Amino acid sequence: MKYLKFLALLIFSFAWRQNVSAQAPAYQISATIGGWEGESVYLGYRRGDKVFSRDTAELKDGRFTFEGSEPLPSGIYLVLMPPENKFFEFVVMPGEQHFSMAVQAPDFSSSLTFNGSPENRLLLEYQSYMSEQVAASKQLQEELTNAAGKEEKTALEKKLEEISQAVRSHQNELAAQHPGSYAALLIKAFQEPVIPDPPAGDDGTFRWQFFKNHYFDGFDFSQEVFVNSPYLKQKIDYYISDKLTAQLPDSVIVAVDYILEKAQANEEVFRWTLPYLLNKYFVPEVMGLDAVFVHISDKYYATGRADWVSEESRKKITDDAYMIRGVLLGKKAADVLVQPYDRKSYSFSDSLISLYDVKADYTVVFLWKPGCPHCKKTTGELIPFYNEWKDKGVEIFSITSANQSELDKAISDINYEKMPWIVTADPYMRARALQKFYGVSLPKIYLLDKDKKIIASRIGPEQLPKIIGEHKRRLAEENR
């Protein structure tokens, strides 16, 4: 009996090992690279405009093989060849995780072939077709630019239109024959809407509005493949740019909410899109659009919708939003009571001064830190500005970040730099001046009008004259 039990156990153990060894890897992608003498390559993938590393493969039996126990997320992948990091790209989809590739140096892209990947073969065929059409269209465009007569121009324009129609017809046919393929998804994602003739009485905005309303019609937000590619970012960036969205907080907020609503069709798409938009408007390219950051924080992070974010990260985001909210354009600046620097006693007075005690057409609030090289540079740039503008209705109200133990260091900087304007401190943080002006990173400059409304935020000294000049002109036009 013991012998039979031992034999059964032995057979089970052998069968188990045989089963494990027979299991194929979740993904296995091999590449043969002719004419290249490297011994190892990297597998990378795209996310937005960045490339990340995923795997490494060593040369074995004339090929490089990437494999793993978990399927690869769908997306655009690259084989990178060190040290020059030359590369070629391919697509990975859920149903195609086992295939091989072959390329020949030095022209990796044009020599690329696939075995066992209909998705990539179809994509290559489409890309080849489009390259031919783009080249033909470019040639006709050059001829059109140099055309002399009206008849010649008309003929060339007709040929261009024929190419455009042929391309669209080819795209529609490919998408219909291969629904759900990556090539079809890509075609639909970037195929522009056909704009009908505008109605009678159109004020000239119909075409633009129709294009914007139907811009995302073909883009499938439920497809995770677009996360690991440049295309989700490209589509979003164009939509929220000044080409389709007015660069005003209310307009951008509407656009952002519209995108995020669509992005929730796929959790991974939403997880990429939400932080991308949050970070984009944390330090926005257009002044005033930090209001979009505040909105995203309030609606998606403070409410717990971004449930994958740690409590520490969520608190950092919402704390930043709380402070930024107080310095948004159009808001009245906080009425802080701080200690002024007394130039006679070379110390900070115990009496307090309010920002609102300053009577000026324009007040520059300058936050700085003792010993900070960038702050010293900004101070040096502000001094000639102040000397030119102090008699033109401009005052500078500076607040040092110095605490009680750093006051001597601040005083040294004040005297060394010969700061000619109002200098103050909040060493015991009773006024919370730094917090109220979002003084997390310094230096920082805000520009206030005579009513102490914020008209410019987080700007450089070189921008002040232009902003003040434009504001004065705008006021003059309003008062005509």
Side-chain angles (χ1 to χ4, degrees), residues 9 43 51-52 128 173 211 229 249 298 350 371 387 402 460:
L9 183 64
L43 179 66
V51 174
F52 298 91
S128 177
E173 183 179 340
F211 182 88
S229 80
D298 290 349
D350 289 333
N387 291 334

Side-chain angles (χ1 to χ4, degrees), residues 380-401:
E381 293 170 349
L382 276 174
I383 289 174
F385 162 80
Y386 182 72
N387 291 334
E388 180 182 349
W389 286 84
K390 64 182 179 181
D391 295 327
K392 300 178 183 178
V394 177
E395 185 54 80
I396 295 180
F397 189 92
S398 72
I399 307 172
T400 175
S401 66

Side-chain angles (χ1 to χ4, degrees), residues 26 41 70 80 119 123 126 128 134 150 164 168 205 232 260 263 277 288 315 333 341 350 438 467 474 479:
V41 293
E70 295 291 332
L80 296 105
E119 285 277 4
L123 184 62
Y126 173 65
S128 177
V134 168
K150 184 178 180 180
S164 178
R168 194 173 192 94
T205 63
L232 177 59
L260 288 171
L277 290 170
K315 187 176 186 306
Y341 178 68
D350 289 333
Y438 190 51
I467 295 172
R474 193 159 57 249
N479 294 327

Side-chain angles (χ1 to χ4, degrees), residues 176-187:
Q177 291 177 351
H178 305 276
S181 67
Y182 179 72
L185 291 171
L186 197 59
I187 286 169

Side-chain angles (χ1 to χ4, degrees), residues 342-360:
D342 183 358
R343 300 179 193 283
K344 292 181 180 178
S345 63
Y346 297 101
S347 64
F348 285 93
S349 171
D350 289 333
S351 62
L352 301 178
I353 182 175
S354 165
L355 171 63
Y356 281 71
D357 290 336
V358 177
K359 306 303 177 186

